[in-house]
Amino acid sequence: MDRPAWAPPEVDLDRPSPARIYDYMLGGLHNFAVDRQMAEQVIAVAPEVRLAAHANRGFLRRAVEHLAGAGVRQFLDLGSGIPTVGNVHEAAHRVAPDARVVYVDVDPVAVAHSRAIVAEEEQVTVIQADIRDIDRVLDAPELHAQLDLKEPVAVLLVGVLHFIPDSDAPAAMVARLVDTIAPGSYLAISQVTTPPQTLTPEQQAAAERYTKANPVAMRTRDEIAGFFAGLEMIDPGLVDPARWRAEDDEVGGMVSSFAGVARKP
Ligand SMILES: C[S@@+](CC[C@H](N)C(=O)[O-])C[C@H]1O[C@@H](n2cnc3c(N)ncnc32)[C@H](O)[C@@H]1O
């Protein structure tokens, strides 16, 4: 296929990426044929994944609005993705126009598109980095030009930790983050969990094709709760993202992930 103008030259058009598959599931336009094909294979056997993507995005928005309402003025969004349908700086600015936001993603399309969207926004910075090297992120001069880590910050790890296998020590990465942020800061996490029901052979095959291209570390509720070690969970705790401070009767499907927000005392 022809390379669209928004796709940086280093992007491999033949390899599906989690950022672009997720963009497609949300109805976004920044994806390639290979991403759409992979997404459709999954949707064909598990149509609820689309709802799950929307539920995750809804959790992200409500968490940001809640935290901005609680007085947080700095947001560090790790694994921020392609800003498809509503994004963190818009949600934060609706409540607190003075909020400052740093987006971090490893995917070149997510970064290029985020940069294009926030080009005019002085209070928003986009950094391309792999969060597994969290010290590099925390030491980045661009981050310190936007955020004062001596003041409370909301760190968002929404829909990203399942892309970091245990062999890459995500718990140690999160602990390092928690150690660095000031008291009064918050940590928001959503992460895919082990499916409660047995997969059909077709679902199993689609899951294997997806995870072959993009390995996914499914975690139990207890394992996900472990990322919040040393923090105080705020209400309603670790729940289905669709049910986290839901504003209407947003329907949760089968519980395919857990979401929660906690405060550093
Ligand atoms: C499913 S999207 C979630 C986007 C957004 N946080 C949301 O919830 O709407 C996951 C994002 O994490 C990014 N990602 C995966 N592994 C990463 C890593 N090691 N470092 C930085 N970003 C990563 C992907 O590129 C993708 O954009």
Side-chain angles (χ1 to χ4, degrees):
M1 74 176 276
D2 291 338
R3 180 175 296 274
W6 46 263
E10 67 270 29
V11 172
D12 182 351
L13 302 192
D14 298 321
R15 204 168 164 263
S17 99
R20 298 187 314 254
I21 292 173
Y22 182 67
D23 173 69
Y24 179 73
M25 301 250 184
L26 290 172
L29 298 173
H30 292 82
N31 44 71
F32 306 137
V34 69
D35 306 306
R36 296 191 281 277
Q37 208 175 15
M38 175 68 76
E40 285 299 344
Q41 282 176 9
V42 177
I43 291 166
V45 292
E48 60 275 14
V49 292
R50 250 200 171 125
L51 281 181
H54 281 282
N56 183 65
R57 201 75 184 182
F59 160 70
L60 175 63
R61 177 184 59 76
R62 294 192 303 278
V64 168
E65 287 174 354
H66 175 77
L67 295 176
V72 177
R73 291 295 175 268
Q74 310 193 95
F75 292 83
L76 176 55
D77 187 5
L78 302 173
S80 47
I82 298 169
T84 309
V85 183
N87 51 55
V88 166
H89 71 280
E90 285 170 349
H93 287 162
R94 264 196 300 277
V95 180
D98 56 336
R100 278 163 287 130
V101 178
V102 171
Y103 290 118
V104 180
D105 205 286
V106 74
D107 184 285
V109 169
V111 169
H113 191 52
S114 302
R115 285 199 173 126
I117 283 188
V118 305
E120 308 288 313
E121 305 265 355
E122 277 180 17
Q123 291 158 220
V124 186
T125 298
V126 184
I127 299 175
Q128 182 168 9
D130 188 328
I131 61 169
R132 287 174 296 182
D133 189 356
I134 198 63
D135 284 328
R136 214 199 111 207
V137 175
L138 291 171
D139 290 343
E142 308 99 285
L143 183 149
H144 292 278
Q146 194 63 268
L147 305 180
D148 177 0
L149 294 187
K150 292 192 288 304
E151 294 294 320
V153 59
V155 177
L156 314 173
L157 281 165
V158 178
V160 61
L161 284 174
H162 40 254
F163 295 115
I164 305 186
D166 288 347
S167 52
D168 285 336
M173 183 273 276
V174 176
R176 169 92 182 89
L177 268 168
V178 169
D179 207 37
T180 304
I181 56 183
S185 292
Y186 290 85
L187 176 65
I189 291 177
S190 71
Q191 128 104 59
V192 170
T193 194
T194 323
Q197 84 289 23
T198 316
L199 299 183
T200 64
E202 293 77 24
Q203 289 174 332
Q204 188 66 38
E208 275 165 23
R209 272 196 299 274
Y210 179 89
T211 53
K212 198 165 160 220
N214 302 289
V216 172
M218 299 202 177
R219 299 194 165 94
T220 64
R221 188 176 188 282
D222 282 352
E223 286 170 330
I224 299 168
F227 288 128
F228 292 101
L231 303 176
E232 296 163 348
M233 290 303 293
I234 67 170
D235 283 345
L238 194 55
V239 295
D240 180 346
R243 302 203 184 283
W244 196 92
R245 292 179 187 254
E247 290 147 355
D248 45 32
D249 289 338
E250 206 174 328
V251 196
M254 55 171 198
V255 179
S256 54
S257 52
F258 283 103
V261 177
R263 183 177 181 276
K264 180 169 173 172

